[in-house]
C-alpha cells in the first residue's frame, strides 16, 4: 500500500508554457528604467514574442506588496510584488481572471544567492495565491546562464539570441541614459532633452526589433561581436543631440548614484524619484549603468575560479578565458560610448574597484553589489568623478547594510568623502530627501569651489568664458564632450578646456 | 610570467613549524553567527597546528551587559541583532581578558559544510552573516586601530567551508604570517583534522538526538523541534525559549542535530521519494526551489522532518528582528508544519532584550496545546506514516516491511 503524501505542502510550480500558447501570450517583465525596458520589449518582439513592461511601480504597489506577502520584506520586494499583483488585478477587472491567466506570463530574473533577491519569487507566489491567481504562470531566468534552453513546455526559449539581445539592449540603454543625464541639467530650452531622448529610444526600439536573425548560438555570437548594426544606429540617434543647446557654465554638484540594484536603476516612486529630485535641486546626476552590474557578475565568476588557481589544474586557463570575455564586454560598451562621443561615463575597472575596497570589504562577500559599493564610493571620490555619493539602500537590505557599516571605516580614513546613505522604505520620502539635501548643500559648496579654483587657475572669468563659447557654437551643443580635467564639476572642466583651447589658438 | 610559472602552494617546501611558539599563542574567537555550528572545526584546526584547545578562547554568550561594557560606541550600522551584537564579542576579547589574546580570529564564513550539500543548489551563508566581521571590524578601526593598540593581530579570512578543496589555501594565506613556521602542507592537514573533528561532534550530537527520539517513540511521548539558525542557540539571541519549554517536560530537538541515519531517512522520506516528489531524503526542491542558503535550507528540511515524524507534535520557529533570509520562508515553513496537523508557534522579531513576560505566556500556551493535542497529533501522523519505524523496537523487521511495501507501490 502506498503511503499518502498529497497532504504535504509543495512549492508553486508554473503550468507549462507551450509553443502553441506563446502566440496568445504576452510576456510581462519590469524592474529597470524605462529606456532599458522599451529596448528589451523590442528584443522579445524581435524573437517573435509579445512582451510588455509593467508600469513603473508606485506607492500603491508598495502597500499592496506589503499586504499580500510575508512581513519584513525589503522595499524592492514589496514594490515589485505589489506592481505585478496590481497589474493582474486591474487586468482581471477588465477582462476577467481566467483570461489574465491565459493571456499573460511573468518573467523575472532569478539568482542563486546570496541575498533574498533569489527568493523574490516566493513573495510573488504568495501574492498570486492571495489574489486568487495561483494558476498564473511565472518563470525565472537565471542571470548567470546565457543559454538556458526552453522553460517548462518549450514556449519560451532562453537562448543566445535572447541573452545577447538583452545585453546589447541594456548597454545601448545605458549610453542613452548616460548622455541624457549629462545634458538635461544644462539644457537651455527646458524639456528638449526629454523629447530628444524619447525620439532616440523609439528609433532604437525599431533597430532592436528589426535585428537580423543570425542563428541560435555561434552565428549569433559572432554577428553581435562583429556587426556595426548597433553602433551605426547609435551614431544616427546621437546626431539628434546636436540640436540641444546647453549652458555648462553652471557650477552644479555631481551626485553619483550607487546602492542596491533595483533602487539605483528604476526612476519613480521606488526611489522617491531621486534622479529627478536631485536635478530639480540643482545637481548633475551620475546614474548607475546596468553595464557595471553585468561587469561585476563576470568579475564574480572570475573570482570564484581564481580561488581554484593552484588547486585545480584547469583553473588558470578558465580565469584567462573569462577575463577575455570580460574584455570583450568592456570593448562592446566602449564602442557604444564612442558612438555617443564618449560623453556617457566610462565603466570603472572592476579590479580597481576590488583593490580600493579590499581594506574594508572582502571581494568574495556576495549578495547585492558586494564590495562594489565601497569600491565605487572610493573610485568616485579619489578620481574626482563626483562631489558626493548617494547610496540608495532599501530598508532591511541585507548586503547593503553591511557595506554601509564597512563605510564607517572608509569615512574614518577619508573624512572629506561626501557620503549620503539613504535608507529607502518607500513611504518615508521627506526624511530620506532631507537627509540627502544636507549632504547636497555641502556638495554645492564644493562645486563652486571647483569653479572658483578653475577661474583662478585659468584666469578666465564667467563673462570671458561666455564670450569664448559664443565663438565656438559646437561647444554649446549637447554633443560636445567636455573632457575630465581633474575637477568633479562640469563647469570647472569646461573652463580648463576653454583655457587650453585658447592657449593652443594663441600659440598657433 | 613569473606568476604563471610560480610553484603551486602545495609544491612549496615550507618552513619548519615552530611548535614552541605556537603553544604559547592565545587565540580569541568571537562566539557568534556560524561559529555556533563550526566551533569544532576551529578547535580541530588550531589543535592540529599545535595551539592547545585551552588557549583558544571563545567570547561568552551574548548579553546586554556584554554590549554595554565592551561594545558601546562601536556599532556601525543598524541591522539584525545577531550581527550587531558582534561589537560586544570583539570588545570582550580585546578588553575583557585577564590574559591577553595574541590573535583575534574572526572567520568570514562564506559557505557551510551542510549535510544537505549535494542535494541542494548551494550552501551559502547569509550575506549579513558572512560580512558581519567586516562590519564589526570597522567599529574598531574607524578612529584608530584598537587591535594594534592592544597588541592583537586581527585575522579574518574568508572561508568557504562548503568547498574543502580551497579552504587550505584560504586559511594558509590568512595565517602564514601569524602562526609561526606555518606551511601549506601543514595547513591542509589541519583543515582535514578540522573537518574530522566537526564531523565527529555532529555525529555524536545526532546520536543523542536519536536517543531522545527513540525514547519518545517507545513511550509514545511528544517532543518539540526547534527551527532556527545556529546562533539562536546563544542564550542572548534565542533567549533560551526552548529551555523554558523543556522545563514543562518536553524533550527538545534542534534540527541542526537531527539524526540522519539512512534507516530513519528512508522511513521518513521514502513515500515522498516513491511518489516522485523528491530524489533523496535531503532534497528540498519540492518545498523550496531556491535552495542556495545553507541555514535556510536546513530550516526548510527540518520543517519537512517535523511534519513527518509523529512524535514531533510541535515545531517552534525562532527568528531575529529584520532577518531577511527568514522573511520569505515564513509562510512555507508554517504551511509545511501545519498541513501535517503539527502545532506551529513562531517567535519572530527577537532582539537584544528578552521579552520575558510574553515568552512566559506563550510557553504556557504552547505547553497547554501540547498537553491537549499531542496524543491526537501522534495518532493522526502515525496514520499517514509507513510501518516499520526504525525508532521502535524490532525496527529492522519493520523497516524491511516498509521497504517491501514501497517497492511494491513504486
Amino acid at each position: 500500500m502506498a503511503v499518502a503524501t498529497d497532504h504535504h505542502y509543495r512549492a508553486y510550480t508554473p503550468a507549462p508554457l507551450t509553443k502553441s500558447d506563446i502566440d496568445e501570450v504576452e510576456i510581462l517583465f519590469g524592474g529597470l528604467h524605462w529606456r532599458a525596458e522599451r529596448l528589451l520589449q523590442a528584443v522579445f518582439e524581435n524573437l517573435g514574442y509579445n512582451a510588455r513592461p509593467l508600469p513603473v511601480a508606485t506607492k500603491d504597489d508598495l502597500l499592496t506588496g506589503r499586504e499580500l506577502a510575508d512581513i519584513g520584506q525589503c522595499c524592492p520586494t514589496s514594490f515589485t510584488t505589489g506592481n505585478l499583483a496590481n497589474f493582474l488585478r486591474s487586468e482581471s477587472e477588465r477582462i476577467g481572471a481566467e483570461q489574465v491567466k491565459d493571456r499573460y506570463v511573468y518573467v523575472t530574473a532569478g539568482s542563486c544567492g546570496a541575498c533574498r533577491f533569489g527568493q523574490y519569487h516566493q513573495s510573488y507566489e504568495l501574492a498570486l495565491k492571495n489574489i486568487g491567481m495561483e494558476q498564473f504562470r511565472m518563470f525565472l531566468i537565471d542571470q548567470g546562464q546565457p543559454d538556458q534552453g526552453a522553460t517548462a513546455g518549450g514556449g519560451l526559449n532562453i537562448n543566445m539570441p535572447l541573452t545577447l539581445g538583452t545585453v546589447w539592449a541594456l548597454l545601448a540603454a545605458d549610453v542613452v541614459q548616460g548622455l541624457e543625464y549629462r545634458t538635461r541639467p544644462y539644457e537651455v530650452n527646458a524639456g528638449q532633452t526629454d523629447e530628444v531622448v524619447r525620439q532616440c529610444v523609439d528609433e532604437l526600439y525599431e533597430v532592436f526589433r528589426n535585428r537580423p536573425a543570425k542563428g541560435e548560438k555561434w552565428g549569433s555570437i559572432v554577428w553581435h561581436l562583429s556587426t556595426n548594426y548597433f553602433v551605426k544606429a547609435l551614431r544616427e540617434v546621437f546626431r539628434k543631440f546636436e540640436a540641444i543647446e546647453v549652458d555648462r557654465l553652471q557650477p552644479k554638484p555631481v551626485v553619483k548614484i550607487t546602492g542596491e540594484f533595483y533602487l539605483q536603476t528604476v526612476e519613480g516612486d521606488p526611489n522617491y524619484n531621486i534622479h529627478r529630485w536631485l536635478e530639480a535641486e540643482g545637481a548633475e546626476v551620475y546614474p548607475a549603468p546596468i553595464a557595471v552590474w553585468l561587469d561585476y557578475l563576470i568579475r564574480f565568476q572570475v573570482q570564484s575560479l581564481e580561488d581554484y588557481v593552484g588547486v585545480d589544474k584547469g583553473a588558470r586557463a578558465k580565469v584567462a578565458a573569462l577575463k577575455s570575455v570580460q574584455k570583450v564586454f568592456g570593448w562592446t560598451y566602449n564602442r557604444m560610448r564612442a558612438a555617443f562621443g564618449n560623453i556617457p561615463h566610462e565603466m570603472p575597472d572592476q579590479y580597481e574597484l576590488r583593490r580600493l575596497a579590499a581594506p574594508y570589504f572582502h571581494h568574495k562577500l556576495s549578495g547585492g553589489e558586494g564590495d562594489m559599493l565601497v569600491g565605487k564610493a572610493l573610485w568616485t571620490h579619489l578620481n574626482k568623478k563626483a562631489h558626493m555619493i548617494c547610496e540608495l539602500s532599501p530598508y532591511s537590505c541585507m548586503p547593503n547594510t553591511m557595506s554601509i557599516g564597512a563605510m564607517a571605516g572608509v569615512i574614518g580614513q577619508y573624512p572629506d568623502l561626501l557620503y549620503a546613505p539613504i535608507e529607502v522604505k518607500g513611504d518615508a520620502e521627506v526624511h530620506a530627501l532631507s537627509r540627502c539635501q544636507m549632504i547636497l548643500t555641502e556638495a554645492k559648496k564644493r562645486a563652486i569651489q571647483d569653479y572658483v579654483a578653475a577661474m583662478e587657475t585659468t584666469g578666465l572669468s564667467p563673462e570671458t568664458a561666455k564670450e569664448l563659447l559664443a565663438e565656438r557654437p559646437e561647444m554649446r551643443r549637447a554633443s560636445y564632450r567636455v573632457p575630465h580635467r581633474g575637477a568633479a564639476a562640469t563647469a570647472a572642466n569646461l573652463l580648463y578646456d576653454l583655457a587650453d583651447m585658447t592657449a593652443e589658438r594663441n600659440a598657433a | 610570467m613569473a606568476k604563471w610559472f610560480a610553484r603551486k602552494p602545495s609544491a612549496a617546501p615550507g618552513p619548519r613549524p615552530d611548535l614552541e611558539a605556537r603553544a604559547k599563542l592565545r587565540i580569541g574567537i568571537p562566539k557568534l553567527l556560524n561559529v555556533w555550528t563550526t566551533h569544532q572545526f576551529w578547535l580541530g584546526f588550531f589543535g592540529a597546528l599545535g595551539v592547545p584547545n585551552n588557549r583558544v578562547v571563545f567570547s561568552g554568550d551574548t548579553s546586554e551587559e556584554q554590549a554595554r561594557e565592551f561594545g558601546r560606541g562601536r556599532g556601525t550600522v543598524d541591522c539584525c541583532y545577531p550581527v550587531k551584537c558582534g561589537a560586544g564579542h570583539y570588545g570582550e576579547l580585546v578588553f575583557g581578558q585577564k590574559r591577553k589574546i595574541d590573535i583575534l580570529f574572526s572567520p568570514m564564513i562564506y559557505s557551510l559544510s551542510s549535510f544537505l550539500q549535494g542535494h541542494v543548489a548551494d550552501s551559502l551563508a547569509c550575506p549579513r552573516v558572512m560580512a558581519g566581521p567586516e562590519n564589526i571590524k570597522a567599529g574598531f578601526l574607524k578612529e584608530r586601530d584598537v587591535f594594534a593598540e592592544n597588541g592583537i593581530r586581527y585575522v579574518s579570512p574568508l572561508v568557504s567551508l562548503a568547498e574543502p578543496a580551497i579552504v587550505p589555501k584560504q586559511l594558509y594565506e590568512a595565517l602564514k604570517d601569524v602562526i609561526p613556521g606555518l606551511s601549506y602542507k601543514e595547513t591542509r592537514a589541519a583543515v582535514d583534522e578540522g573537518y574530522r573533528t566537526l564531523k565527529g561532534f555532529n555525529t555524536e550530537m545526532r546520536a543523542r538526538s536519536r536517543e531522545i527520539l527513540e525514547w519518545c517513540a517507545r513511550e509514545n511521548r511528544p517532543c518539540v523541534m526547534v527551527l532556527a539558525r545556529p546562533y539562536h542557540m546563544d542564550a542572548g539571541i534565542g533567549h533560551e525559549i526552548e529551555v523554558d519549554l523543556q522545563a514543562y517536560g518536553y524533550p527538545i530537538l534542534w534540527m541542526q542535530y537531527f539524526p540522519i541515519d539512512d534507516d530513519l531517512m528512508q522511513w521518513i522520506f521514502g513515500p515522498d521519494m516513491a511518489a516522485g516528489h523528491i530524489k533523496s531524503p535531503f532534497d528540498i526542491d519540492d518545498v523550496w526551489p531556491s535552495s542556495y542558503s545553507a541555514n535556510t535550507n536546513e530550516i526548510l528540511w527540518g520543517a519537512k522532518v517535523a511534519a513527518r515524524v509523529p512524535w514531533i507534535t510541535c515545531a517552534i520557529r525562532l527568528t531575529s528582528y529584520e532577518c531577511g533570509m527568514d522573511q520569505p520562508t515564513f509562510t512555507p515553513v508554517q504551511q509545511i508544519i501545519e498541513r501535517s496537523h503539527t502545532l506551529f508557534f513562531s517567535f519572530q522579531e527577537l532582539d537584544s532584550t528578552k521579552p520575558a513576560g510574553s515568552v512566559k505566556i506563550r510557553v504556557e500556551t504552547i505547553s497547554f496545546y501540547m498537553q491537549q493535542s499531542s496524543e491526537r497529533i501522534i495518532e493522526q501522523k502515525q496514520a499517514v506514516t509507513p510501518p516499520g519505524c526504525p525508532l521502535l523496537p524490532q525496527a529492522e523487521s519493520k523497516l524491511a516491511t516498509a521497504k517491501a511495501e514501497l517497492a511494491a507501490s513504486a
Side-chain angles (χ1 to χ4, degrees):
Chain A
M1 183 192 74
V3 176
T5 59
D6 293 344
H7 60 292
H8 286 302
Y9 169 86
R10 308 285 173 202
Y12 162 92
T13 311
L17 176 66
T18 64
K19 284 182 179 167
S20 58
D21 290 341
I22 201 71
D23 290 340
E24 311 301 321
V25 156
E26 194 163 8
I27 295 168
L28 303 173
F29 65 96
L32 302 168
H33 56 77
W34 70 273
R35 307 161 202 82
E37 288 175 346
R38 179 86 170 127
L39 299 189
L40 279 185
Q41 183 181 12
V43 172
F44 276 116
E45 289 174 358
N46 169 257
L47 295 168
Y49 303 111
N50 301 310
R52 179 202 302 201
L54 287 168
V56 180
T58 63
K59 283 185 183 133
D60 282 345
D61 295 334
L62 172 78
L63 299 179
T64 304
R66 284 182 185 164
E67 181 191 326
L68 293 176
D70 277 319
I71 58 161
Q73 301 165 89
C74 55
C75 79
T77 326
S78 302
F79 272 111
T80 52
T81 303
N83 188 226
L84 175 65
N86 279 343
F87 177 82
L88 297 178
R89 267 178 175 167
S90 66
E91 282 297 283
S92 294
E93 282 166 18
R94 191 173 69 82
I95 55 174
E98 195 61 23
Q99 281 283 316
V100 168
K101 171 179 79 68
D102 293 337
R103 193 177 287 183
Y104 296 110
V105 297
Y106 182 60
V107 172
T108 186
S111 83
C112 276
C115 90
R116 76 183 119 175
F117 166 59
Q119 303 172 7
Y120 274 19
H121 67 93
Q122 180 59 39
S123 294
Y124 300 143
E125 288 161 24
L126 194 53
L128 292 175
K129 189 179 168 191
N130 287 336
I131 60 170
M133 297 209 64
E134 280 168 296
Q135 305 302 315
F136 180 78
R137 288 168 290 184
M138 178 178 70
F139 298 95
L140 300 178
I141 296 179
D142 184 346
Q143 58 181 4
Q145 294 284 333
D147 195 6
Q148 297 166 44
T151 53
L156 175 62
N157 197 0
I158 318 291
N159 56 9
M160 274 296 173
L162 180 60
T163 302
L164 293 172
T166 300
V167 172
W168 262 245
L170 294 176
L171 297 185
D174 272 345
V175 294
V176 173
Q177 186 197 38
L179 179 55
E180 174 189 340
Y181 277 95
R182 296 200 94 164
T183 303
R184 190 169 42 234
Y186 305 102
E187 66 186 4
V188 172
N189 302 311
Q192 196 179 2
T193 308
D194 287 346
E195 182 53 37
V196 167
V197 169
R198 258 193 299 275
Q199 290 169 15
C200 289
V201 173
D202 283 346
E203 282 192 21
L204 289 172
Y205 167 82
E206 292 300 332
V207 168
F208 277 90
R209 200 165 181 274
N210 297 316
R211 177 181 55 144
K214 295 288 176 182
E216 289 277 302
K217 197 162 186 173
W218 291 109
S220 184
I221 294 172
V222 170
W223 182 78
H224 276 85
L225 293 177
S226 58
T227 185
N228 271 333
Y229 180 76
F230 301 107
V231 172
K232 212 170 132 192
L234 285 165
R235 281 195 203 116
E236 286 292 318
V237 297
F238 180 55
R239 291 207 185 100
K240 293 181 188 298
F241 279 84
E242 284 172 8
I244 304 175
E245 189 185 349
V246 289
D247 172 15
R248 293 194 181 105
L249 282 177
Q250 305 170 65
K252 287 175 179 275
V254 180
V255 180
K256 172 86 186 97
I257 301 286
T258 67
E260 185 270 341
F261 177 78
Y262 176 72
L263 290 191
Q264 69 176 3
T265 306
V266 294
E267 294 172 11
D269 281 359
N271 57 13
Y272 304 132
N273 278 296
I274 199 147
H275 297 77
R276 289 288 176 151
W277 178 82
L278 282 165
E279 283 188 358
E281 289 292 314
E284 176 190 331
V285 174
Y286 183 154
I290 299 168
V292 177
W293 166 250
L294 299 176
D295 202 21
Y296 171 69
L297 289 180
I298 303 174
R299 194 241 292 180
F300 205 82
Q301 291 302 315
V302 170
Q303 290 171 174
S304 300
L305 290 168
E306 281 174 344
D307 286 344
Y308 281 86
V309 171
V311 177
D312 179 358
K313 278 183 182 170
R316 209 182 289 272
K318 287 178 190 167
V319 168
L322 198 52
K323 279 194 169 175
S324 304
V325 171
Q326 193 170 22
K327 282 210 161 65
V328 170
F329 175 76
W331 172 75
T332 306
Y333 181 70
N334 283 332
R335 281 182 83 196
M336 295 197 186
R337 271 185 72 224
F340 268 27
N342 284 317
I343 300 172
H345 293 280
E346 75 270 39
M347 267 201 296
D349 178 67
Q350 280 294 325
Y351 301 93
E352 175 68 358
L353 295 182
R354 176 168 87 174
R355 187 188 66 76
L356 290 168
Y360 312 97
F361 209 77
H362 196 282
H363 60 270
K364 276 279 284 182
L365 293 170
S366 58
E369 299 237 319
D371 64 343
M372 273 211 299
L373 294 177
V374 175
K376 282 197 282 192
L378 278 168
W379 179 82
T380 306
H381 174 67
L382 296 173
N383 294 298
K384 293 191 166 56
K385 299 287 182 185
H387 296 97
M388 71 176 265
I389 316 294
C390 177
E391 182 175 325
L392 301 170
S393 174
Y395 165 71
S396 89
C397 173
M398 293 185 294
N400 253 58
T401 45
M402 290 297 100
S403 46
I404 288 174
M407 278 298 289
V410 177
I411 300 299
Q413 288 204 5
Y414 299 93
D416 57 339
L417 190 158
L418 289 182
Y419 174 60
I422 307 296
E423 187 179 67
V424 180
K425 288 186 173 177
D427 57 358
E429 192 167 353
V430 173
H431 173 72
L433 296 182
S434 69
R435 194 175 148 69
C436 191
Q437 204 165 32
M438 286 194 297
I439 312 288
L440 185 63
T441 305
E442 186 57 34
K444 282 179 179 173
K445 287 184 199 163
R446 293 203 186 170
I448 292 167
Q449 284 166 9
D450 276 357
Y451 193 54
V452 171
M455 283 198 284
E456 286 170 1
T457 308
T458 60
L460 292 175
S461 67
E463 291 72 27
T464 321
K466 270 183 190 162
E467 284 167 17
L468 290 170
L469 281 173
E471 293 169 18
R472 296 177 177 81
E474 77 281 1
M475 291 181 77
R476 287 184 281 119
R477 300 285 150 207
S479 50
Y480 179 78
R481 175 173 175 266
V482 179
H484 187 258
R485 295 290 171 90
T490 302
N493 285 320
L494 181 60
L495 284 186
Y496 291 123
D497 193 27
L498 277 170
D500 284 356
M501 290 175 98
T502 310
E504 276 170 27
R505 192 180 61 180
N506 292 342
Chain B
M1 287 299 278
K3 200 175 151 193
W4 278 77
F5 290 102
R7 270 197 285 196
K8 287 185 201 171
S10 55
R16 292 178 64 138
D18 186 347
L19 295 176
E20 202 178 321
R22 290 182 195 176
K24 290 178 188 161
L25 283 176
R26 284 179 71 78
I27 300 176
I29 303 181
K31 193 173 70 179
L32 74 158
L33 305 171
N34 283 326
V35 167
W36 276 88
T37 40
T38 61
H39 49 91
Q40 292 296 316
F41 175 90
W42 302 113
L43 287 173
F45 173 75
F46 284 117
L49 293 180
V51 182
N53 279 358
N54 63 2
R55 297 187 76 85
V56 177
V57 185
F58 287 95
S59 55
D61 282 0
T62 302
S63 68
E64 290 184 275
E65 294 72 33
Q66 182 193 53
R68 265 199 302 274
E69 193 174 348
F70 301 115
R72 194 170 50 189
R74 304 210 174 272
T76 52
V77 76
D78 189 19
C79 65
C80 62
Y81 187 57
V83 172
K84 218 162 38 178
C85 73
H89 286 266
Y90 273 42
E92 184 190 313
L93 290 170
V94 173
F95 309 115
Q97 302 298 308
K98 276 186 188 165
R99 282 189 289 170
K100 286 277 184 189
I101 57 167
D102 303 295
I103 299 166
L104 198 158
F105 183 80
S106 184
M108 291 185 276
I109 301 175
Y110 179 72
S111 62
L112 289 152
S113 58
S114 169
F115 60 94
L116 298 179
Q117 248 181 294
H119 307 268
V120 289
D122 212 337
S123 287
L124 296 174
C126 152
R128 276 183 177 164
V129 168
M130 64 170 88
E134 293 287 50
N135 204 275
I136 302 159
K137 174 186 80 175
F140 288 78
L141 296 176
K142 61 182 175 181
E143 287 147 1
R144 53 189 195 279
D145 188 341
V146 174
F147 305 118
E149 278 179 2
N150 286 275
I152 294 169
R153 297 285 297 270
Y154 178 75
V155 181
S156 182
L158 184 122
V159 190
S160 310
L161 289 175
E163 297 171 87
I166 58 172
V167 174
K169 187 180 163 189
Q170 292 171 326
L171 289 175
Y172 174 69
E173 291 298 327
L175 291 167
K176 64 184 177 190
D177 299 328
V178 182
I179 303 285
L182 185 68
S183 68
Y184 178 76
K185 192 177 168 190
E186 200 188 0
T187 311
R188 199 167 55 190
V191 166
D192 289 344
E193 184 54 33
Y195 277 113
R196 247 193 311 277
T197 311
L198 178 62
K199 191 179 175 191
F201 177 81
N202 288 346
T203 305
E204 189 188 331
M205 289 296 106
R206 293 186 200 288
R208 289 195 194 176
S209 296
R210 179 151 182 153
E211 281 172 25
I212 293 169
L213 268 176
E214 284 175 345
W215 179 83
C216 291
R218 199 168 54 240
E219 304 294 326
N220 214 31
R221 295 277 294 271
C223 61
V224 176
M225 175 82 110
V226 180
L227 303 173
R229 291 178 184 268
Y231 34 87
H232 289 110
M233 294 174 198
D234 184 337
I237 305 242
H239 298 306
E240 298 183 300
I241 291 168
E242 79 287 1
V243 176
D244 291 348
L245 201 51
Q246 196 177 30
Y248 281 87
Y250 298 111
I252 304 293
L253 297 166
W254 281 79
M255 61 83 193
Q256 281 86 354
Y257 298 116
F258 193 86
I260 51 172
D261 310 306
D262 187 53
D263 59 343
L264 190 57
M265 291 298 98
Q266 292 298 328
W267 177 70
I268 294 173
F269 291 110
D272 294 279
M273 288 192 287
H277 294 300
I278 48 175
K279 295 186 185 84
S280 81
F282 305 110
D283 179 1
I284 56 168
D285 197 50
D286 59 328
V287 295
W288 192 245
S290 310
S291 57
Y292 59 78
S293 166
N295 290 330
T296 302
N297 293 344
E298 291 182 9
I299 288 170
L300 269 296
W301 180 83
K304 287 179 69 179
V305 168
R308 285 161 176 80
V309 174
W311 301 280
I312 301 175
T313 62
C314 176
I316 61 164
R317 176 94 199 255
L318 308 179
T319 175
S320 291
Y321 166 69
E322 233 198 36
C323 178
M325 296 312 284
D326 275 347
Q327 180 267 323
T329 71
F330 289 155
T331 296
V333 167
Q334 185 171 355
Q335 292 273 310
I336 292 168
I337 302 289
E338 290 188 341
R339 289 219 192 160
S340 68
H341 306 290
T342 308
L343 297 171
F344 178 77
F345 294 92
S346 177
F347 292 83
Q348 290 178 198
E349 309 285 300
L350 295 174
D351 213 334
S352 57
T353 306
K354 178 174 181 173
S358 61
V359 167
K360 188 170 186 292
I361 292 167
R362 293 210 66 203
V363 166
E364 280 176 9
T365 308
I366 295 169
S367 170
F368 171 79
Y369 274 102
M370 285 190 72
Q371 204 177 356
Q372 292 286 305
S373 318
S374 285
E375 197 179 321
R376 175 183 54 78
I377 293 168
I378 292 171
E379 277 176 21
Q380 280 177 321
K381 289 172 82 173
Q382 276 179 326
V384 290
T385 46
C389 174
L391 298 168
L392 291 163
Q394 293 111 32
E396 282 180 18
S397 61
K398 289 186 178 181
L399 178 65
T401 313
K403 277 185 175 170
E405 284 182 1
L406 285 172
S409 65

